[in-house]
Amino acid sequence: MIDKILKVTAEELNQINLSKYLKSTDDLGFPKSWFYMDAGLEHYRLLAFISKLYNGVNLLDIGSYQGSSAIALSFNKKNKVISYDIEHQPEIAEIKIPNIQFIKGNVLKDQITAPFILLDTYHDGEFEQEFVDHLLKIKYKGLVMFDDIHLSRKMDNFWDGLKNEKYDLTEIGHHSGTGIAIF
């Protein structure tokens, strides 16, 4: 799986047609142009690509916010996207995509059974480390993508200190840093 992710180019990602989500993104509170930006500016095309690498599995989106990452991960309709946020996010009520389930709750209190996780939360390095520690404790096996790994010194320090096999995918992900680690 990781080999396919590492081999994909920005040009290939930019060929992914996300237009089927125009209605869903119209209802979100951010400028919808963000969702459709090229790989290397935003990570949504990369998430859609990754969703195509799996079939019939749960994919986790930690940090629902306005639902855009969950929407991108729902690209392959054979997968179920489970998106967690600890706070109620009213914008997601407008998202009517059948293979997405939004949960208000703490993912650290639920069983984690997914081969792929996107962690896009506080970007303070502290929760990211707490999440990694939890995954190590439960002996999680799979891929974890971290958003905004170069957003701040704290995030750079978190990323630099991560001991897992990891890859910086910023050039095909989000301009503020996208990293993926193998657990």
Side-chain angles (χ1 to χ4, degrees):
M1 200 68 58
I2 191 69
D3 292 337
K4 292 178 182 177
I5 296 169
L6 296 176
K7 288 180 183 174
V8 70
T9 65
E11 292 77 22
E12 291 171 296
L13 294 175
N14 291 335
Q15 296 303 310
I16 295 174
N17 184 354
L18 297 175
S19 65
K20 67 182 176 180
Y21 297 116
L22 282 172
K23 172 63 178 124
S24 295
T25 56
D26 277 346
D27 296 330
L28 298 175
F30 63 85
K32 67 180 175 183
S33 62
W34 290 2
F35 188 80
Y36 302 98
M37 286 183 170
D38 286 346
L41 295 174
E42 282 289 351
H43 59 298
Y44 303 115
R45 292 176 188 280
L46 177 58
L47 292 174
F49 172 79
I50 289 170
S51 79
K52 295 189 312 180
L53 300 177
Y54 294 98
N55 263 319
V57 301
N58 291 336
L59 305 175
L60 291 186
D61 168 37
I62 313 303
S64 303
Y65 189 45
Q66 295 177 325
S68 50
S69 293
I71 291 170
L73 283 171
S74 76
F75 194 80
N76 180 351
K77 300 300 178 201
K78 294 178 183 174
N79 297 322
K80 179 178 181 181
V81 178
I82 303 170
S83 184
Y84 280 85
D85 208 299
I86 59 170
E87 296 178 12
H88 173 66
Q89 303 295 339
E91 296 87 353
I92 62 176
E94 301 299 321
I95 299 171
K96 308 292 187 218
I97 298 174
N99 65 324
I100 299 176
Q101 176 186 2
F102 291 103
I103 297 175
K104 180 185 174 226
N106 184 346
V107 68
L108 298 178
K109 296 184 188 242
D110 285 351
Q111 185 176 356
I112 297 175
T113 55
F116 178 84
I117 300 170
L118 169 66
L119 184 65
D120 186 0
T121 59
Y122 297 116
H123 312 304
D124 63 4
E126 293 175 26
F127 181 75
E128 287 80 2
Q129 188 59 57
E130 181 182 354
F131 190 74
V132 166
D133 293 343
H134 179 71
L135 293 179
L136 294 172
K137 179 181 173 186
I138 65 169
K139 296 179 174 51
Y140 171 76
K141 300 289 184 213
L143 297 177
V144 179
M145 181 176 285
F146 299 92
D147 187 37
D148 294 321
I149 61 171
H150 301 305
L151 183 66
S152 66
R153 177 167 291 304
K154 287 181 179 182
M155 285 302 292
D156 277 327
N157 290 342
F158 160 74
W159 181 249
D160 292 344
L162 187 61
K163 303 291 185 227
N164 297 60
E165 181 179 343
K166 62 187 178 187
Y167 302 91
D168 189 324
L169 303 176
T170 302
E171 69 181 42
I172 59 169
H174 192 209
H175 69 91
S176 59
T178 298
I180 196 163
I182 301 172
F183 283 78

